Amino acid sequence: MPGPGPPTLATPDAYTPKHLAEKILKSKAALEGERKQVTVLFADMKGSMELLADRDPEEARRILDPVLERMMEAVHHYEGTVNQVMGDGIMALFGAPLAHEDHAVRACYAAIRMQEAVKRYAEGVHREHGATVRIRVGLNAGEVVVRAIGSDLHMDYTAVGQTTHLAARMEQTAPAGAILVPAAMQRLVEGYVETRSLGERVVKGLDAPIEVYEITGPGSVRSRLHAAAARGLSRFVGRAAETELLDQALTRAAAGHGQVVAVVAEPGVGKSRLYWEFTHSPRTQGWLLVESRSLSYGKATPYLPVSELLRAYCKIEARDDPQSVREKVTERLRALDRRLEPFLPPLLSLLDVPVEDDTWERLDPPQRRQRTLDAVKRLLLRESQAQPLLVLFEDLHWIDAETQALLDSLVESLPTARILLLVNYRPEYQHGWGRKSYYLPLRLDPLLPDSTDELLDHLLGDDPTLAPVKRLLVERTEGNPFFLEESVRTLVETRVLVGARGAYRPAPGAELADPVLRIPTTARDVVAARIDRLSAEDKRLLQAASVIGKDVPCALLEAIADEPLEAVRRSLTSLQANEYLYEARLFPDLDYTFRHALTHEVVYTSMLRERRRALHARIVEAIERLYPDRLVEHVERLSHHAVRGEVWTSAVRYLRDAGTKAFGRSANRESAAYFEQTLAALAHLPDGRETTEQAIDTRLDLRNSLQLLGDLDKVARHLREAEPHVR
């Protein structure tokens, strides 16, 4: 049985692996004082007081510390952060300070891993001590505010929306050996894990019972595309040109001129969907497809995608024991070519099967590495002689170094092979194949307007009342198919839309306005994880830009930035290169715009309210300083920032000026809205003669707008409210 754990489990720097600690400390400057979407995990040992009560303290620690170590190992395996160790349990966060777009899935896998590890350990404890060791785990996903990270990695956080409270309640109500999650989180991980409903439970602190699920094991889904396929894929639109290029590459590879095609795109644009449609189409009949993908949490595991590819090729299942694996690999190699048998040891080693071969055992690590790379490459090349081969590697932006070495070696051997190597990745990934004549890069952009409309018609239907929501969806997502589909799914789950796919309609009483279109959690996580990879300086400037708005005048951004002008321009170049901002106008003034309205909103809402308020107030001052003779041109922007910056005297002035400007243009609805906002801003000013006079004048202005709109009831109400002040 393992010995006692380290004596200092009280601080995170004592138990966090070095490689994770370095990542956290590197990212902390960009994280301090932010709102984050995370998954919170609580785990403890059920009945620990009874177990340890009659035991010597040293014996008790020898039993308990290995349990804590296994809990923490599982968290760290999936790059979570153990934030607290609490006697017989831990609290961990996934998604902060290391941002992950799949934090909920990682947390679930960590919970499963720690349950399995503790169960194996408990068998030895029971034999040696006659004691029963079991743990319980509770999870919840939601928003928290992370305020600071200390040099010892300890985080100061504040729960928002009872995220942490509900995770703790899930743990406290879980029976021994169980993992519980609320229904909202179960929807995030559906398919990635197997669950069963436990029905509704009363949770202390919540007004109404909530449905609770137990996680019973890992699921079959390994990607967003597979999750979508389980629900039913949407119509495939807008990729005819890319499909034609893939067909041409297939033809060349079939003739013995191997090709490598790389689809490059931002998250959600449809890299995996394009390959899914291509590899499942009649054109690839007669080709053997072997596929694998890099995992976001697998970069530290050498050969992980290669071993998965080998498992698929040899039809190895999760329940197969080592002997079954050995038999399947041996049989597959002998059936293909007995000359491949010398490569059996490295292939078995890749699959974690014990190798009984003296020659293999005598090899040093570099020799084993080379032997392994040769084995996989020769296997694929020999298979391509028997039948044309489609080799698919997805998500290379998460690739490990050993798998990269295999791909580099395979690419060199393609020219005379019947192999079409398909890879995809995000723009930040780099490789050395660009000069190969048989390399074809495909840049995948968001859908064009016609294709976006076609997809929305398929998802929503053609009910005329849906026109406003379609317009807002296009505006918010900029043609990103994943963001579109997840936004529609969120509208259905929140009962804004009712009906069935392709025949939705607005729910009775639903107001299809912009605030209703909440950012889907799945889309927010993808965008937030990408933003968190920016340097601290670039991220801070992007946040300042988001407070200005979706459209960002360069002069205004430079005026409110905390950095020297040279640093600001350096960050702007980086943000443009990474396609967060585009140049929208060069003359007469340089303006930028956010590529996605959704990206703008995620960046803005990640900031703490106090920093947002301060920046809004600073923007008012900057506009007044930059454009003293042109304030009338900027009065709408000034009023917006003055309200959000809580600069109430300026807010009253600019809101009323904006209302007067709109009234002069016969924009009566807009003018009425500005005058009503003026009255709301006046409520923040001290009572007095000047405030009263402004309120009277504003109500009279509002009356004029409302009369032209024909809203006589509102006119009468405002006159009644003004009457006491006139007297």
Side-chain angles (χ1 to χ4, degrees):
M1 187 176 71
T8 54
L9 287 175
T11 58
D13 60 343
Y15 51 70
T16 304
K18 183 179 179 181
H19 72 283
L20 282 183
E22 290 173 352
K23 280 188 177 183
I24 292 168
L25 290 171
K26 184 178 178 181
S27 68
K28 77 169 191 173
L31 178 68
E32 291 177 0
E34 284 190 12
R35 306 170 77 93
K36 303 292 293 183
Q37 290 287 330
V38 304
T39 298
V40 183
L41 177 150
F42 282 96
D44 74 349
M45 197 162 80
K46 179 72 171 173
S48 61
M49 294 299 292
E50 295 84 351
L51 175 68
L52 305 176
D54 300 326
R55 299 182 186 276
D56 179 83
E58 290 188 27
E59 182 187 358
R61 293 313 312 175
R62 281 198 297 272
I63 293 175
L64 180 58
D65 281 349
V67 176
L68 295 175
E69 289 168 7
R70 282 159 175 77
M71 291 179 181
M72 291 188 289
E73 186 280 331
V75 170
H76 294 145
H77 182 81
Y78 291 100
E79 296 194 331
T81 303
V82 177
N83 192 43
Q84 294 179 22
V85 179
M86 303 164 290
D88 63 350
I90 64 169
M91 172 193 172
L93 294 181
F94 293 81
L98 299 178
H100 299 300
E101 61 193 63
D102 53 354
H103 55 81
V105 174
R106 289 174 183 247
C108 290
Y109 287 166
I112 294 169
R113 183 181 179 92
M114 71 174 64
Q115 284 285 14
E116 292 175 346
V118 171
K119 284 176 185 174
R120 290 193 297 270
Y121 166 71
E123 293 172 0
V125 173
H126 191 267
R127 285 194 303 269
E128 187 170 340
H129 298 277
T132 300
V133 173
R134 292 189 294 178
I135 63 170
R136 56 186 181 175
V137 185
L139 302 164
N140 187 34
E143 192 174 43
V144 300
V145 172
V146 181
R147 297 195 178 276
I149 307 172
S151 58
D152 67 348
L153 308 182
H154 187 84
M155 279 176 286
D156 173 21
Y157 68 93
T158 304
V160 178
Q162 299 193 8
T163 299
T164 304
H165 167 82
L166 187 51
R169 292 296 179 190
M170 290 295 99
E171 178 216 32
Q172 291 159 11
T173 58
I179 305 166
L180 298 191
V181 299
M185 179 164 169
Q186 187 271 345
R187 288 193 292 272
L188 289 177
V189 298
E190 188 175 7
Y192 291 93
V193 294
E194 297 292 337
T195 62
R196 66 184 183 96
S197 175
L198 302 180
E200 291 193 338
R201 298 277 181 92
V202 175
V203 176
K204 185 178 180 181
L206 299 184
D207 295 333
I210 62 168
E211 189 170 11
V212 174
Y213 286 80
E214 180 182 0
I215 294 175
T216 57
S220 58
V221 167
R222 286 293 179 269
S223 70
R224 288 197 303 267
L225 179 66
H226 290 142
R231 296 192 299 267
L233 291 172
S234 59
R235 181 174 295 166
F236 184 60
V237 300
R239 303 302 187 199
E242 291 84 358
T243 301
E244 175 61 27
L245 289 171
L246 284 169
D247 283 344
Q248 294 173 14
L250 189 76
T251 301
R252 288 192 289 271
H257 305 293
Q259 305 287 302
V260 53
V261 179
V263 172
V264 189
E266 299 291 351
V269 174
K271 301 183 293 295
S272 295
R273 181 65 188 276
L274 174 63
Y275 280 157
W276 173 282
E277 295 293 333
F278 178 70
T279 57
H280 288 74
S281 66
R283 58 176 68 86
T284 60
Q285 284 185 1
W287 288 70
L288 175 64
L289 172 64
V290 288
E291 56 185 317
S292 185
R293 67 175 55 246
S294 300
L295 300 174
S296 61
Y297 47 83
K299 201 165 186 176
T301 306
Y303 299 113
L304 182 60
V306 182
S307 64
E308 290 302 309
L309 181 141
L310 191 56
R311 288 177 186 277
Y313 175 75
C314 296
K315 296 181 171 52
I316 296 168
E317 300 178 11
R319 63 175 179 270
D320 287 340
D321 59 23
Q323 183 58 34
S324 298
V325 173
R326 182 189 301 276
E327 291 172 357
K328 286 186 175 182
V329 176
T330 304
E331 182 180 346
R332 190 69 193 257
L333 258 64
R334 286 175 176 170
L336 180 62
D337 191 333
R338 283 188 171 271
R339 291 174 295 177
L340 292 172
E341 285 190 42
F343 293 105
L344 189 58
L347 295 178
L348 291 175
S349 179
L350 264 180
L351 299 171
D352 298 319
V353 174
V355 176
E356 299 172 359
D357 185 287
D358 292 338
T359 303
W360 174 255
E361 293 297 330
R362 286 195 297 269
L363 296 177
D364 59 29
Q367 291 173 319
R368 287 191 183 189
R369 178 181 186 270
Q370 189 59 51
R371 190 77 171 159
T372 301
L373 295 176
D374 288 345
V376 178
K377 185 174 78 168
R378 293 200 183 197
L379 176 64
L380 294 176
L381 291 172
R382 179 63 185 87
E383 184 64 60
S384 73
Q385 295 172 4
Q387 58 185 321
L389 193 60
L390 279 170
V391 181
L392 172 58
F393 275 90
E394 299 209 64
D395 297 328
L396 296 193
H397 44 275
W398 290 320
I399 197 170
D400 64 277
E402 304 306 326
T403 303
Q404 181 66 60
L406 170 67
L407 282 180
D408 290 340
S409 179
L410 182 60
V411 167
E412 294 296 332
S413 302
L414 284 182
T416 58
R418 288 194 300 169
I419 295 178
L420 176 55
L421 174 60
L422 304 174
V423 299
N424 62 32
Y425 49 83
R426 297 175 186 174
E428 62 265 26
Y429 169 76
Q430 301 292 323
H431 60 73
W433 318 323
R435 296 181 181 274
K436 303 293 184 185
S437 61
Y438 46 92
Y439 167 72
L440 173 65
L442 291 182
R443 172 71 191 218
L444 210 58
D445 292 315
L447 296 174
L448 295 172
D450 287 348
S451 298
T452 303
D453 292 342
E454 184 181 351
L455 177 59
L456 280 175
D457 286 343
H458 167 74
L459 293 171
L460 295 174
D462 55 5
D463 189 322
T465 60
L466 293 172
V469 76
K470 287 182 178 179
R471 186 170 58 253
L472 286 170
L473 285 168
V474 171
E475 199 175 284
R476 291 277 293 279
T477 64
E478 302 280 343
N480 184 298
F482 173 66
F483 295 163
L484 271 173
E485 293 188 38
E486 291 299 293
S487 296
V488 170
R489 191 177 173 206
T490 298
L491 289 172
V492 173
E493 288 177 351
T494 54
R495 305 293 296 170
V496 175
L497 299 178
V498 295
R501 176 185 277 192
Y504 286 118
R505 62 188 185 281
E511 184 181 348
L512 299 181
D514 199 22
V516 173
L517 297 182
R518 298 184 306 175
I519 302 176
T521 302
T522 46
R524 177 188 291 276
D525 291 342
V526 169
V527 174
R530 183 168 182 258
I531 292 167
D532 275 3
R533 289 195 291 272
L534 291 170
S535 70
E537 296 77 19
D538 291 357
K539 183 175 179 180
R540 193 168 181 83
L541 188 70
L542 190 66
Q543 290 175 332
S546 76
V547 179
I548 293 174
K550 186 174 185 293
D551 299 313
V552 186
C554 182
L556 187 53
L557 181 58
E558 290 173 350
I560 68 166
D562 293 323
E563 302 292 330
L565 187 59
E566 183 180 341
V568 171
R569 290 179 176 170
R570 190 165 54 245
S571 287
L572 279 171
T573 300
S574 173
L575 292 171
Q576 282 183 271
N578 287 292
E579 299 191 66
Y580 291 96
L581 296 176
Y582 286 163
E583 284 184 356
R585 187 177 66 171
L586 294 174
F587 182 84
D589 299 304
L590 176 58
D591 286 358
Y592 294 95
T593 187
F594 275 81
R595 182 181 181 188
H596 288 294
L598 189 146
T599 300
H600 168 253
E601 189 168 344
V602 171
V603 175
Y604 181 80
T605 56
S606 72
M607 301 168 63
L608 297 185
R609 290 193 180 97
E610 181 54 33
R611 183 168 178 237
R612 293 201 303 247
R613 188 203 63 74
L615 281 170
H616 281 298
R618 197 186 304 175
I619 290 168
V620 174
E621 297 172 0
I623 294 174
E624 291 174 336
R625 186 173 66 255
L626 289 168
Y627 314 108
D629 302 323
R630 296 164 50 194
L631 293 183
V632 68
E633 296 177 28
H634 300 276
V635 68
E636 296 85 0
R637 175 172 273 161
L638 281 162
S639 64
H640 167 81
H641 292 295
V643 169
R644 298 211 170 184
E646 299 178 17
V647 189
W648 298 117
T649 301
S650 297
V652 168
R653 171 190 169 190
Y654 293 125
L655 283 167
R656 192 170 174 203
D657 287 351
T660 302
K661 181 178 175 181
F663 185 77
R665 294 176 173 175
S666 299
N668 298 311
R669 193 171 302 282
E670 288 78 8
S671 68
Y674 278 121
F675 291 137
E676 287 181 333
Q677 289 178 65
T678 306
L679 292 173
L682 280 164
H684 292 276
L685 297 182
D687 292 335
R689 181 182 179 84
E690 184 180 353
T691 302
T692 301
E693 289 175 351
Q694 289 186 80
I696 293 170
D697 291 343
T698 302
R699 290 184 191 279
L700 293 174
D701 291 337
L702 177 59
R703 178 198 63 182
N704 296 334
S705 296
L706 292 174
Q707 282 179 331
L708 291 172
L709 287 171
D711 197 339
L712 300 181
D713 289 340
K714 269 193 175 182
V715 171
R717 176 168 62 82
H718 280 289
L719 287 176
R720 286 195 302 272
E721 291 173 355
E723 188 175 353
H725 299 292
V726 174
R727 290 177 181 171

